[in-house]
Amino acid sequence: MNVVFIGIGLMGGSMSLAMKKNNFAKNYQAISRNVTTLKKAVELNLIDSHGTFQELVPNADFIVLATPIDAIINQLPMVLDLIKETAVVIDLGSTKKSIVDSVVNHPKRKNFVAIHPIAGTEYSGPESALADLYENKTCILCDIEKNTPIILNKVKELLHLLKMNLVYMSSSDHDLYLAYVSHLSHIISFSLSNTVLNNKENSKEILNLAGSGFASTVRLAKSSPEMWLPIYLDNKQNIIKAIDGFTTKLLEIKTAIEKNDSKKIVEFLYNGNKIGKILK
Amino acid sequence: MNVVFIGIGLMGGSMSLAMKKNNFAKNYQAISRNVTTLKKAVELNLIDSHGTFQELVPNADFIVLATPIDAIINQLPMVLDLIKETAVVIDLGSTKKSIVDSVVNHPKRKNFVAIHPIAGTEYSGPESALADLYENKTCILCDIEKNTPIILNKVKELLHLLKMNLVYMSSSDHDLYLAYVSHLSHIISFSLSNTVLNNKENSKEILNLAGSGFASTVRLAKSSPEMWLPIYLDNKQNIIKAIDGFTTKLLEIKTAIEKNDSKKIVEFLYNGNKIGKILK
């Protein structure tokens, strides 16, 4: 079996390492506009070789789209145009609705399974790939009623090899939920970083005092702008809703502090504590 | 040498473990209103014994105030009233201005060194104490011009044993800087937790999808309300300023997303990335 990656950074590279570890396929190839990335990926043994879109896509048995989502939306229809009748196509994008919409009427829509593995780090590029990135993490599969059982089973087989926990939902629900549980966290981290760095006269003094708490809250601000810009634009409506919900809560605690309203503050903090019982 | 802890939870317990490991003193005792905490602390070998304020304070050589800051502000003047001429007193509170103000005219002000070790976890109580909690962390010493060299050197000796990096500043600067680098992070985490938990109709679905990014941003929401309420009230002015600075940044990225202003978003994200070069 030939696996072809379109994009071979953190997400694609980690999947390739995990596939190799589990003998999922025979050949691993990649396509990328970035020649340095391709060279690095061969050097790091993430892939065996690389080629062009026209060379690799028509012969692929399993294609993984692991580029930023704006690129996925462009590439996916072209991929479906070129693939074999039996080929399986997945994408690893962080939003799903626009991606599935881009091929809604394509005759090979059934070959494409829209997934979102909830895994990642704040680093990017092939050198940040990790063979165990996906292990014991959640993978969301969207709109699977559009797929044939054979195609879907091939994807499930891979995800089980990767030791992922599978969750199913519509691409619309996915985008709404992820706005709260992922996209909002990134916006908050980026905003916190900008707040402290903006404090020109004393940001150095402030940052020298940073403890593990600040580091944890601001960690995601190290994430790739190339990856996040298209997510923010694509999932705009849900993200604005999530930011507004968060701003309301922030204003609630701010007002309680301003008014010395101990009862309200304590209530807010205890309610916040409940997250500890829900998240492991 | 007799060390007496007033409060023996995460912060005091961890300091006791570290002192013991480094043979800082001969006896370790504690005072607490909570009998269960005292029993637990003896059981866990954090302290040798416990007693009352009147029994232990007059015989102590080194006193560590490790209670929430509202309690420190109450206890510190009483402690200074009772101590020996040569005794050293430190507190581990997360704000400093109100604490030093509470004893500004006390005849034994020179015996008290106001410190803030930037260390902690989201857990509390004696069972969460860690012998290496303070290692390689920053410790801020405030307003040290108020201390005699003998007293100050004793505290520095301890902090060097604990392998801490010392930073000196005024208690006012401390409270301003910490609002940005610590108190704000906690408020953000608590607000994020409240935002997601508030989403009644689908918070379970949302939280099932939480990845390591969300967990990292929301981690501090597990922190103790008893510890944080008095910090928020005490450092109100600086915290409101920090919240307002953060809200401005959040609104900036929200507006850029609403307007599809890619240039502005990318600029914001790249600026946020700079935190990665500053924090290790």
Side-chain angles (χ1 to χ4, degrees):
Chain A
M1 190 165 76
N2 283 325
V3 177
V4 171
F5 289 89
I6 304 180
I8 189 84
L10 166 69
M11 300 301 283
S14 295
M15 186 159 283
S16 187
L17 284 176
M19 283 175 165
K20 283 185 164 192
K21 202 171 98 179
N22 291 290
N23 298 309
F24 181 69
K26 209 173 144 187
N27 299 306
Y28 299 87
Q29 299 175 300
I31 300 165
S32 170
R33 278 190 298 192
N34 188 327
V35 184
T36 319
T37 296
L38 288 172
K39 279 187 188 163
K40 196 88 194 157
V42 172
E43 207 177 293
L44 292 165
N45 251 313
L46 304 182
I47 50 167
D48 308 313
S49 62
H50 52 84
T52 66
F53 208 85
Q54 299 293 335
E55 282 164 4
L56 302 188
V57 173
N59 295 310
D61 299 301
F62 201 106
I63 296 178
V64 181
L65 282 146
T67 44
I69 61 158
D70 52 338
I72 295 175
I73 293 166
N74 279 327
Q75 294 155 342
L76 181 57
M78 297 191 281
V79 168
L80 294 192
D81 287 348
L82 290 176
I83 53 167
K84 300 197 272 199
E85 202 56 54
T86 57
V88 178
V89 180
I90 62 173
D91 83 297
L92 311 180
S94 291
T95 64
K96 298 264 74 93
K97 183 78 173 73
S98 305
I99 292 174
V100 301
D101 281 355
S102 76
V103 290
V104 68
N105 292 317
H106 198 286
K108 289 200 183 122
R109 169 66 184 89
K110 66 183 188 313
N111 297 59
F112 166 62
V113 185
I115 73 167
H116 180 194
I118 313 285
T121 71
E122 66 274 37
Y123 304 107
S124 49
E127 50 287 316
S128 54
L130 301 166
D132 62 356
L133 182 69
Y134 298 106
E135 268 179 37
N136 303 315
K137 305 284 170 60
T138 296
C139 187
I140 306 174
L141 295 91
C142 293
D143 304 345
I144 56 161
E145 68 282 0
K146 303 284 185 189
N147 301 116
T148 57
I150 296 173
I151 300 283
L152 188 60
N153 285 336
K154 194 74 199 159
V155 175
K156 284 190 192 175
E157 185 196 312
L158 168 66
L159 300 176
H160 287 306
L161 272 180
L162 264 48
K163 300 194 185 64
M164 300 202 77
N165 309 313
L166 310 193
V167 174
Y168 303 88
M169 62 182 68
S170 71
S171 51
S172 308
D173 280 352
H174 168 278
D175 287 5
L176 172 65
Y177 296 163
L178 268 286
Y180 283 89
V181 94
S182 167
H183 310 166
L184 177 60
S185 291
H186 284 79
I187 286 176
I188 287 172
S189 270
F190 276 114
S191 299
L192 177 59
S193 172
N194 271 280
T195 306
V196 175
L197 293 171
N198 197 45
N199 221 306
K200 286 216 173 51
E201 75 278 21
N202 50 25
S203 80
K204 267 198 177 170
E205 279 87 349
I206 290 179
L207 285 163
N208 278 336
L209 308 177
S212 58
F214 180 77
S216 168
T217 322
V218 87
R219 180 175 70 86
L220 299 177
K222 301 177 193 170
S223 304
S224 154
E226 288 77 11
M227 181 184 156
W228 282 98
L229 170 67
I231 295 172
Y232 293 156
L233 295 178
D234 185 56
N235 203 22
K236 183 159 91 169
Q237 302 304 335
N238 292 317
I239 288 173
I240 297 295
K241 207 170 145 184
I243 293 177
D244 287 345
F246 173 78
T247 308
T248 304
K249 288 290 150 191
L250 188 64
L251 193 66
E252 208 174 298
I253 180 85
K254 182 192 156 187
T255 307
I257 294 171
E258 276 177 327
K259 291 184 178 167
N260 293 316
D261 187 347
S262 299
K263 190 168 162 278
K264 176 77 195 141
I265 299 173
V266 166
E267 202 179 285
F268 191 91
L269 304 188
Y270 271 111
N271 195 52
N273 277 175
K274 288 183 194 156
I275 206 85
K277 283 173 202 153
I278 300 171
L279 293 182
K280 282 128 271 175
Chain B
M1 191 165 75
N2 283 326
V3 177
V4 172
F5 288 89
I6 304 180
I8 188 83
L10 167 69
M11 300 301 282
S14 295
M15 185 159 283
S16 187
L17 283 176
M19 283 175 165
K20 284 186 163 193
K21 200 172 99 179
N22 291 291
N23 299 311
F24 181 69
K26 211 174 142 189
N27 298 307
Y28 299 88
Q29 299 174 299
I31 300 164
S32 169
R33 279 188 300 191
N34 188 329
V35 184
T36 319
T37 295
L38 289 172
K39 280 187 189 164
K40 196 88 195 160
V42 172
E43 206 178 293
L44 291 166
N45 252 314
L46 304 182
I47 49 167
D48 307 315
S49 62
H50 51 85
T52 65
F53 207 84
Q54 298 293 335
E55 282 163 6
L56 302 188
V57 172
N59 296 309
D61 300 300
F62 200 107
I63 296 178
V64 182
L65 282 145
T67 44
I69 61 158
D70 52 339
I72 296 176
I73 292 166
N74 278 327
Q75 294 156 343
L76 182 57
M78 298 192 280
V79 168
L80 294 192
D81 287 347
L82 290 177
I83 53 166
K84 299 196 274 199
E85 202 55 56
T86 55
V88 178
V89 181
I90 62 173
D91 82 296
L92 311 179
S94 292
T95 65
K96 297 265 73 92
K97 184 78 174 72
S98 305
I99 292 174
V100 302
D101 281 354
S102 76
V103 291
V104 68
N105 291 317
H106 198 286
K108 292 202 181 120
R109 169 66 183 90
K110 64 182 188 316
N111 297 59
F112 167 62
V113 185
I115 74 167
H116 180 193
I118 313 286
T121 71
E122 66 275 36
Y123 303 107
S124 49
E127 51 287 316
S128 55
L130 300 167
D132 62 355
L133 183 68
Y134 297 107
E135 269 180 39
N136 303 314
K137 306 284 170 60
T138 297
C139 187
I140 307 174
L141 295 89
C142 293
D143 303 343
I144 56 163
E145 67 283 0
K146 303 283 184 189
N147 301 114
T148 57
I150 296 173
I151 299 283
L152 188 61
N153 284 337
K154 195 71 199 160
V155 174
K156 284 191 191 170
E157 186 197 310
L158 169 66
L159 299 176
H160 287 307
L161 272 180
L162 263 47
K163 300 193 183 68
M164 300 202 77
N165 308 313
L166 310 193
V167 174
Y168 303 89
M169 62 182 68
S170 72
S171 50
S172 308
D173 280 353
H174 169 278
D175 287 5
L176 172 64
Y177 296 164
L178 267 287
Y180 283 91
V181 94
S182 166
H183 311 166
L184 178 60
S185 291
H186 284 79
I187 286 176
I188 287 171
S189 269
F190 276 114
S191 300
L192 178 58
S193 172
N194 272 280
T195 306
V196 174
L197 294 171
N198 197 46
N199 222 305
K200 287 216 172 48
E201 74 281 16
N202 50 26
S203 80
K204 269 198 174 171
E205 279 86 350
I206 289 179
L207 285 162
N208 277 335
L209 308 178
S212 58
F214 180 76
S216 169
T217 321
V218 88
R219 180 174 71 85
L220 300 177
K222 300 177 194 171
S223 304
S224 153
E226 287 78 12
M227 180 183 157
W228 283 97
L229 169 67
I231 295 173
Y232 293 155
L233 294 178
D234 186 57
N235 203 21
K236 184 160 92 169
Q237 302 305 335
N238 292 318
I239 289 174
I240 298 293
K241 206 170 146 184
I243 293 177
D244 287 345
F246 173 78
T247 308
T248 304
K249 287 292 151 188
L250 188 63
L251 193 66
E252 208 173 298
I253 179 84
K254 182 191 155 184
T255 308
I257 293 171
E258 276 177 328
K259 291 183 178 165
N260 294 316
D261 187 346
S262 299
K263 190 168 162 278
K264 176 78 195 137
I265 300 172
V266 165
E267 203 179 285
F268 192 91
L269 303 189
Y270 270 110
N271 195 51
N273 277 174
K274 288 182 195 155
I275 206 86
K277 281 173 203 153
I278 301 171
L279 294 182
K280 282 128 271 177

